[in-house]
Amino acid sequence: MNASEQATNLELASKIATVVNLFKFEFPDAKSDLKPWKDDPETRELIDPDSIDIGFHFPGISKSWRSRSILIQIRFYQDPINHSRRAIGLEVAGFDHRGEAWRLSTVENWSFVGMAEPSPQVADKLKQICRHILEVFNQGSD
């Protein structure tokens, strides 16, 4: 779900801003997009209400990213017993003019798959950002 729609209180808005700042600190050319999904019936059907989705766009196609846009989906689990909400992983995808170029999931083995993967330096930075994002959203939830 679009990050702009998930920022329903000061704590969530602050954590979303932290994610944007973490990414822009490492990649200052990136422009953040808190509404990466269209607001139409077809798209709404596909949106996961248990995620916070943030897009980042680069000017031109980055050779080190091998993409022009990045979508970060922070996935959550709501425990039905104690009602706690935890970030359980991230799905990150890079897109170029043909569509999805690569994907990274932190749920399993943290490896990249796709037609064109980011450079090793960018991949390492992105994995570090993912670790920080999980820390940000899981602080105080234990």
Side-chain angles (χ1 to χ4, degrees), residues 110-131:
W110 290 67
S111 56
F112 288 85
V113 295
M115 300 179 299
E117 298 173 15
S119 71
Q121 297 84 4
V122 166
D124 289 343
K125 284 183 181 182
L126 186 56
K127 288 178 181 180
Q128 188 62 37
I129 289 169
C130 288
R131 286 183 194 90

Side-chain angles (χ1 to χ4, degrees), residues 81-122:
I81 296 170
N82 66 13
H83 305 291
S84 65
R85 187 175 189 225
R86 292 188 46 84
I88 57 171
L90 284 85
E91 299 289 332
V92 184
F95 298 88
D96 62 16
H97 65 284
R98 299 168 293 189
E100 186 176 303
W102 56 264
R103 178 173 290 274
L104 165 68
S105 175
T106 69
V107 175
E108 289 186 22
N109 61 7
W110 290 67
S111 56
F112 288 85
V113 295
M115 300 179 299
E117 298 173 15
S119 71
Q121 297 84 4
V122 166

Side-chain angles (χ1 to χ4, degrees), residues 7-128:
T8 56
N9 60 48
L10 184 58
E11 180 184 10
L12 271 177
S14 176
K15 289 179 178 187
I16 291 167
T18 299
V19 169
V20 170
N21 288 332
L22 281 169
F23 196 89
K24 288 183 67 72
F25 179 78
E26 291 293 338
F27 307 103
D29 291 346
K31 303 290 183 221
S32 62
D33 180 359
L34 300 181
K35 292 183 178 185
W37 298 110
K38 287 185 192 179
D39 190 14
D40 61 41
E42 295 82 26
T43 304
R44 285 244 170 244
E45 248 180 57
L46 301 172
I47 290 178
D48 179 0
D50 292 320
S51 73
I52 293 177
D53 305 344
I54 304 171
F56 292 94
H57 306 287
F58 296 98
I61 293 182
S62 168
K63 289 188 190 298
S64 57
W65 277 100
R66 304 220 184 12
S67 57
R68 182 181 183 118
S69 297
I70 308 299
L71 176 65
I72 296 177
Q73 295 181 296
I74 308 162
R75 305 262 184 206
F76 293 90
Y77 172 72
Q78 182 81 33
D79 188 310
I81 296 170
N82 66 13
H83 305 291
S84 65
R85 187 175 189 225
R86 292 188 46 84
I88 57 171
L90 284 85
E91 299 289 332
V92 184
F95 298 88
D96 62 16
H97 65 284
R98 299 168 293 189
E100 186 176 303
W102 56 264
R103 178 173 290 274
L104 165 68
S105 175
T106 69
V107 175
E108 289 186 22
N109 61 7
W110 290 67
S111 56
F112 288 85
V113 295
M115 300 179 299
E117 298 173 15
S119 71
Q121 297 84 4
V122 166
D124 289 343
K125 284 183 181 182
L126 186 56
K127 288 178 181 180
Q128 188 62 37

